[in-house]
Every structure is written in structure tokens, then in C-alpha cells.
Amino acid sequence: MASHKENEAWKEADLAEDRSFRPTRAPGSRRKAPFYKVLQGMPIAVDAFRYGTIPGVTAYFLTHAHSDHYTNLASNWKSGPIYCSADTANLIIHMLSVDSKWVHPLPMDVPTIVPDSGGVTVTLIEANHCPGSCLFLFEGPQTVHAGDSAFKSPFVGSGKAFRYLHCGDFRASPQHVMHPAVKGKQIDHVYLDTTYLDPKYTFPPQPLVISACAELAKRIVSGERVGAPDTNGKRNSTMDAWVIPSERADETVIKQPKDRMLVVVGTYSIGKERIVKAIAQALKTKIYCDAHKTAILRCQSDPELHALLTKDPCEACVHVVPLSMIVSDKLKAYVQRFNGIYSRAVGFRPTGWTYTPPSGSDLSPPISSIISRGQSRSFTHADLKPMQKSTFAVQMYGVPYSEHSSFFELTCFAMSCDWVKMIATVNVGNERSRMKMAKWVERWEIDKKRCKEAMVKPRAADYW
Ligand SMILES: [Zn+2]
């Protein structure tokens, strides 16, 4: 689509996404799908359940089981077959009671023909987001003008093969660009998860944050003074600032069995399991959560996680609770429920919004500095700071953890694969935000042409 046409298509999408729209019971009354929800020239919609039966669409794909991606999907779904990963299939059947006759789990990593699609194949690639999440790589000819958009592709019926990569929600990693379905292939459209396409989002690599949480939990539970004197002989002020002196326990007290520490991790419905698992493994303990959450975790094909689960809250030193529970009064009340078993609690509150960039940060740096700065970032348990209102009995830590790509990771991803066009799928609701994102996409494009490296050198197999 030429840029003038693209602007027109976005205006049309704005109208389609009108928040005041309420479908009526009249036949044909439905919200219209914006152009980026239906693949150009293919009868395929992705994460587009809120639009009901979309004209010309024969295959409805779901990237993962987060509510903003399956809006409107329920037990009464009958608009067509739903394709997704095996874990997502289990989750939507369990959580939404979608009739399993519509749900078609697809294998990961191997190209699979999409029925009634005019010869399109799809490859599912692990998204590094929540359990079951995947990227879809679609390959095939344009055969149909599907969807509600007035803009028609001139390539329909041309026989030319197209390649589209739909990222759903993802945390970009070197594994994505090294995947055999992506590496060395030119991708016509990348539908990009642009949640954090803004240089102010510079949280540290996920694997480092996971190990930092596990290490901190281990140190606190073993009674180690986290605020021990540093090498200069000065006490680390991090913990001293909030530990009320009279409440400080002696090491002898910490070792008493009644002074057991409970680790509580806040999560949404699905996602962040990796932190929970890492902490439980580091503490060599089990994981407890309520029956509702347990059933959701059991939908996921993760035998290692299943083996750690227990129904007995007293047997597990790691509990999983809703994220909103990780506030001082609620956490205090929670640990009091287990009075006599646990006397103290440490709460982890993982959220992508925790990180605040230092004031005076350059918010429009050159691509090369974005990459070099991002690659110099480290993160250890010492970087986790107790939140306000933490006390000796109830400590809380905000964790800069995200299952979406940071701005740096989006940049590495864009610089490391061969794409023709990026289509933003998040924060597209207003023109100003779209313009800001388009500026970065343009800069990636220019720098990519200039740069001779095929990919940004990864620091590890799973992060840049
Ligand atoms: Zn998501």
C-alpha cells in the first residue's frame, strides 16, 4: 500500500474502531474490522474475534489467550475455524467454553497448509510472551479481497507469493530472527507488537531479571542480610532505608522454623510463570495457587511446572496471587492467613511499567547508540529495590519484567530481519502515536540499508 493509501486506510480503521459503536441485533450490524486485522489478499484474520463474521474470511487465527486478543470469543462462536497453538486451544476451551469443534491446534515450527485459504501455509513460532503464545508466518498467494476495508490489493490473482509475519504479542529475541522460517527470507509485511515502541521503555533483558528475582528470594529466605556492607565498608542503603531497626531480626531468630518466609508473586491470568518457576526452583520448594489459577496452569504443556504445583498452601513457599494483591495491607492480610506457618512475606510485583528512565535521557538517540546502550545493560538482584511501605515483615519488590519487547529489542529485531513493511498493531488509536512510531520504523529502514551486518550480534541465545 502506498503511503497516501495507507493514511486513508488508517483513517478508515479509526472509524471502524469508534469506541461509541454498539452493535445492534439487526442483521449485518457488526463492528467493521480495520485493515490490519485481515491479511492483505488472504482470507485470514488474526486476533479479530470482536468483529464477528468478517466478509470473505475463512480462517480465524489467535496468537495467544490474552483477553485483548480474543475479545468477543465465547461459547457462542460460530463464525469459522479458529487456528492457534495447542496450549492456546486448551486455554480458550477451558476459560471461554469455546466449542472444541471450531478449535484447531496447529504444530509449532513446521509449515502447515491452512484449509480453504487458497494455498497459504502457516508456521507457528514461539513468541516468548505468555504460555501458548506464538508468531504466525504466513506464506502464499493473494487470492481474495477479504475483510471490510475499501482498499483492494492489486496483487490478488497475480500468483505472486507473499510472506507475512504476524507477531501478536512478543518479546523479540535472537531466536525469532534465527528461526529457519524467518532467517534469510524476505518478509513483505511484519505485523508488529508496538506496545513499547518508544525509547523511554528500556527495561533489562528478561532472563537476567528472572535470575535476579530467584537470587534475591534465595538470599532473603536464607536470612542473608541483603543490605550487607558493600566493599567500601559502607552499608548498602537499599534495605536500611526501610528496615525498621527495632524490627530487625537476629540471624538466630531467622533460623527458627516459625520464622518461615513466604514468597508471593503477583501475576495476571496467564503470563510471568517463568519468574514463579525460577524462584521455586531456586528455593527448592513447591508452588501454590488457587484452584482457578491451577486449572489455567494445567492447560499449559509444561510438565516441569505441573510437577511443582501443590494444593497445600503450607507445603509451598511460593504462592501465586493476582497482581493487585502485591500491596502492603493486602499482602500483610494474606500472610496472616497462614499465621504460625509463615511469619513474613516477600512480594514480587512484575510489571513492564516499573522502570523509570533516568531524567535527562536522550529520547531520540541514533540507532547505533540504542543498540550499544541496550547491549551494555546488566541486571542483578542488587538492582531490585524494595517498594515504599515495605517493612521487615512484608517486603515488596517491583520487578521491571515485561513479556513484550523493549524498545531496544524491537530495534534489534527490526535490524536483524529482512522486511519490506512494518505494520503497527498496538497504540494505533491516534494519529500522533502512529506518526511517532512511523518515524522509528523509517529510521530502522534507513539504518538497515546503511548497515552491513545481517543481524545485531546477540549477547546470549535468548537475548540481545
Ligand atoms: Zn498478550
Side-chain angles (χ1 to χ4, degrees), residues 64 66 68-69 129-130 169 404:
H64 65 293
H66 274 159
D68 50 334
H69 292 257
H129 183 61
C130 64
D169 281 350
H404 293 274

Side-chain angles (χ1 to χ4, degrees), residues 285-299:
T285 183
K286 296 247 173 194
I287 299 166
Y288 168 79
C289 49
D290 66 20
H292 171 76
K293 177 81 181 180
T294 302
I296 288 175
L297 294 179
R298 294 247 178 235
C299 287

